[in-house]
Every structure is written in C-alpha cells, then in structure tokens.
C-alpha cells in the first residue's frame, strides 16, 4: 500500500487501542486475553508511545521503545509480549488503512527473546508410572489427556454427553477458562477416538450421571479446577513417579508424540489434539476416523506392554 488518504485528525495510539480490542475477528477476544492486552498496553506501551499519532510512529520509535524497556530492566518475556501486541495493533491500523505500513515489522534481532524451553513428551512407561500414583478418577483424566490430547481445560469441562462409550469417541467442544466453561481455544469442536483402556477407565465415572454432569469432579463433587488439580494431584503424583519436571500440558505433547510414533501423520496428530486448521466435527468420519482409531488401538497394545514391564521390575 503506497499511501493512505487522511480524513480528519489522526488518532493517537491510545485512542486507537480500544478499536483494536473491539475489532471484528473470527471470534471475540476471550475475557482473559483482553485483560492481558489491556494490562500490557497500560503498563508498557501507553507510557512510552500512547500519545503519539498513529502516522507519527516510526521504526525508530519502536526500536527506542524496546531499548527503553530493556534499560528499565523489564523481563524479557514482558518486552517480547509488549512488542508483539504493539505490532498487532499497528498491523490492524494498516488493515484499517490508517497508516501505509507497519513500523513494528521486520525487527529481527532487535527484540529480545526468552530462551525457548521445550516441553516434554512421556514414554508409555512414564505415563504408566504416573497413572499408578493417582486414584481412579484422576487416572482416567491423565490417560485421557495423555492418549487423546485434551488440554486440561477441555478435560475438566468434559460432560457425560460428550463421551460415547459404544463408539469409543470423545467430543471436545467446551473448555474451562477464566473461571467458567466456554468454547475451546480454537473455537472449534473435534471428535477423537479413545483407546479401549481409556473407555474402560471412564465407564464407572459416567455411571448414574445425567448428560450434563461433569465426567471429572473434585472430592467434594464439584467441577475440577485446573490450578487446584495441578497442585493437589498432578505435581505430587509426578514427584512420586520421579517425573518432577513435567506439567499437565506435557500430557498433550505426549499424545501427539505417541500418535506420530504409532503411525499417525503429523496432520492427523495435530487434528487429534486440535492443533489442526481442520474442524474435525465436519471432516472426522471420512478423513480421520479409521487412521486415528488404528492409533488408539496401538495405544492399547503399547500401554499393556508398558504395564507388564512395570510389574516385572
């Protein structure tokens, strides 16, 4: 875009920010995300750039913004997040034809980056060790996350109606976030085959419950809260199993890793866990069913072998 025709006074970055928050998207910002954006803008971007007109923000301004945050000793992760938000705001201003180009683009090497810490993926043996350290309901939840790729928020939002024991499938269409159930992170549902072992673990948890009841509940019979479950159950079990460095999200990585090892293509493994751009609720029967069911059956075989090895040691 070579030029932009101006109409009236140019908005300042602070004046334009609410428009960015309320911009039409494929789905609205989650309340938690919106609050994070507002906090980043208020604490880092607005004090240094907020009063500048949109068309007055230059590449030099953006570089100076980054350098000043570094000089102030802000955390690398905060600087990186603030920069990404600034880049997104200015990118939206380009789309709105308020500025001709994004001055926050193409700054490779200028933005500090936090050292990447790759998550872990468990082996079948490690997954078995972890499940041996928890009670029945928690074991079912760990197996479901570790073999079907659910996020922890998706697992705790799972209701009885989402589980089809006869077809051995689980439908993921809700997730717990920001204190309540809502859509999944991608705003898409997916249907995933369950290994027979997972279906067997879930069977007693569904018995006698209404369709809208939660599959997993706390000792008090309430919906499981992810933070409480992480500290009360998962971290303690991981320590007892000698797996101190893992997190619940590593179970999701485990499912993807084991699926690819069991013969799923990278795209099928991504689809299983909801990383894919495909909506599996639409494509499931004709694209993924047979392949992912074969993967689920392979999971059963490998888990049985791992459990046998565990009893022999």
């Amino acid at each position: 875009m070579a030029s932009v025709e101006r109409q009236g006074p140019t908005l300042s970055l602070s004046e334009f920010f609410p428009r960015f928050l309320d911009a039409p998207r494929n789905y609205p910002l989650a309340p938690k995300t919106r609050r994070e954006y507002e906090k980043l803008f208020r604490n880092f971007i607005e004090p240094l750039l907020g009063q500048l007109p949109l068309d007055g923000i230059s590449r030099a301004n953006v570089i100076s913004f980054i350098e000043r945050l570094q000089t102030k000793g802000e955390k690398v992760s905060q600087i990186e997040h603030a920069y990404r938000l600034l880049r997104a705001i200015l990118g939206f201003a380009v789309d709105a034809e308020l500025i001709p180009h994004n001055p926050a683009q193409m700054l490779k090497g200028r933005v500090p980056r936090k050292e990447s810490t790759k998550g872990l993926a468990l082996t079948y043996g490690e997954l078995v060790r972890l499940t041996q350290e928890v009670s029945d309901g928690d074991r079912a939840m760990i197996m479901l996350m570790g073999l079907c790729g659910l996020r922890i928020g998706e697992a705790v939002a799972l209701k009885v109606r989402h589980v089809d024991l006869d077809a051995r499938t689980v439908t993921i269409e809700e997730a717990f976030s920001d204190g309540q159930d809502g859509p999944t992170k991608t705003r898409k549902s997916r249907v995933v085959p369950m290994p027979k072992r997972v279906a067997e673990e879930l069977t007693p948890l569904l018995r006698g419950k209404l369709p809208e009841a939660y599959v997993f509940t706390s000792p008090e019979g309430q919906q499981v809260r992810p933070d409480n479950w992480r500290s009360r159950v998962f971290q303690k079990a991981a320590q007892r199993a000698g797996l101190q460095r893992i997190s619940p999200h590593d179970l999701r990585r485990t499912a993807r890793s084991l699926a690819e090892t069991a013969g799923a293509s990278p795209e099928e493994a991504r689809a299983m866990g909801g990383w894919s751009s495909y909506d599996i609720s639409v494509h499931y029967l004709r694209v993924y069913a047979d392949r992912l069911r074969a993967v689920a059956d392979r999971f059963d075989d490998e888990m049985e072998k791992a459990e046998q090895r565990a009893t022999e040691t």
Side-chain angles (χ1 to χ4, degrees), residues 148-149 151 154 190 192 252 268-276:
C148 296
R151 299 174 176 89
E154 295 170 343
R190 63 189 190 277
V192 181
R252 182 165 158 76
E268 288 163 345
R270 288 194 295 271
M272 180 183 72
W275 287 281
S276 173

Side-chain angles (χ1 to χ4, degrees), residues 42-81:
R42 180 176 64 251
N43 292 343
F44 300 103
I45 300 174
E46 188 166 37
L48 300 178
L49 299 174
Q51 299 308 309
L52 292 180
L54 286 173
D55 60 357
I57 299 174
S58 66
R59 176 184 173 88
N61 291 139
V62 177
I63 293 173
S64 175
F65 162 74
I66 296 168
E67 291 175 344
R68 289 175 69 182
L69 291 181
Q70 290 178 287
T71 301
K72 291 172 64 177
E74 302 292 354
K75 293 180 180 179
V76 170
S77 59
Q78 295 281 36
I79 297 173
E80 186 177 3
H81 291 158

Side-chain angles (χ1 to χ4, degrees), residues 94-109:
V94 173
D95 293 340
E97 299 187 348
L98 295 175
I99 56 176
H101 64 276
N102 187 341
Q105 292 280 37
M106 307 297 290
L107 292 181
K108 186 176 181 180

Side-chain angles (χ1 to χ4, degrees), residues 47-312:
L48 300 178
L49 299 174
Q51 299 308 309
L52 292 180
L54 286 173
D55 60 357
I57 299 174
S58 66
R59 176 184 173 88
N61 291 139
V62 177
I63 293 173
S64 175
F65 162 74
I66 296 168
E67 291 175 344
R68 289 175 69 182
L69 291 181
Q70 290 178 287
T71 301
K72 291 172 64 177
E74 302 292 354
K75 293 180 180 179
V76 170
S77 59
Q78 295 281 36
I79 297 173
E80 186 177 3
H81 291 158
Y83 162 71
R84 288 181 178 177
L85 176 58
L86 176 62
R87 184 178 62 187
I89 296 169
L90 295 174
F92 178 62
V94 173
D95 293 340
E97 299 187 348
L98 295 175
I99 56 176
H101 64 276
N102 187 341
Q105 292 280 37
M106 307 297 290
L107 292 181
K108 186 176 181 180
R110 295 280 191 172
V111 184
R113 302 184 69 85
K114 187 177 180 180
E115 185 177 348
S116 177
T117 55
K118 291 186 177 180
L120 302 175
L122 305 186
T123 64
Y124 289 106
E126 289 170 332
L127 186 58
V128 167
R129 278 162 48 197
L130 183 61
T131 59
Q132 290 175 337
E133 298 295 338
V134 295
S135 61
D136 292 350
D138 295 317
R139 182 172 62 248
M141 184 165 157
I142 287 173
M143 290 182 67
L144 184 66
M145 294 167 65
L147 297 177
C148 296
L150 274 69
R151 299 174 176 89
I152 187 172
E154 295 170 343
V156 303
L158 199 68
K159 297 183 174 68
V160 172
R161 63 181 173 84
H162 295 139
V163 181
D164 188 332
L165 293 175
D166 293 330
R168 279 204 289 126
T169 61
V170 57
T171 300
I172 298 97
E173 60 184 20
E174 293 181 279
F176 181 90
S177 178
D178 204 31
Q180 62 185 353
D181 292 342
T184 65
K185 186 175 182 180
T186 61
R187 266 55 179 187
K188 294 182 178 181
S189 63
R190 63 189 190 277
V191 181
V192 181
M194 291 185 292
K196 182 179 179 182
R197 298 294 302 280
V198 175
E200 290 173 348
E201 292 284 348
L202 290 176
T203 298
L205 302 182
L206 307 183
R207 194 172 294 128
K209 289 184 177 179
L210 296 173
E212 290 299 321
Y214 289 110
V215 174
F216 304 109
T217 55
S218 68
E220 297 75 30
Q222 302 300 315
Q223 182 183 23
V224 173
R225 291 301 196 247
D227 289 343
N228 290 341
W229 186 83
R230 186 182 291 107
S231 59
R232 177 178 58 83
V233 176
F234 186 86
Q235 291 177 349
K236 293 179 181 179
Q239 290 176 353
R240 292 193 295 268
L243 302 168
Q244 292 91 336
R245 294 178 57 200
I246 66 171
S247 70
H249 198 72
D250 289 323
L251 295 175
R252 182 165 158 76
R253 297 186 179 96
T254 295
R256 179 171 176 175
S257 175
L258 295 181
E260 293 187 7
T261 303
S265 69
E267 179 60 28
E268 288 163 345
R270 288 194 295 271
M272 180 183 72
W275 287 281
S276 173
S277 59
Y278 287 102
D279 185 341
I280 304 180
S281 66
V282 174
H283 294 275
Y284 167 74
L285 287 176
R286 67 176 183 271
V287 179
Y288 297 109
D290 292 340
R291 295 274 296 180
L292 289 181
R293 190 168 297 285
V295 167
D297 292 339
R298 179 72 180 275
F299 284 167
D300 281 323
D301 294 338
E302 295 298 331
M303 286 292 286
E304 182 177 358
K305 293 176 184 177
E307 288 175 342
Q308 289 176 349
R309 288 192 294 270
T311 59
E312 294 169 358

Side-chain angles (χ1 to χ4, degrees), residues 21 29-38 178:
L21 292 177
L29 292 176
K32 182 178 179 181
T33 301
R34 187 184 182 98
R35 288 199 299 272
E36 289 174 351
Y37 283 176
E38 290 172 337
D178 204 31

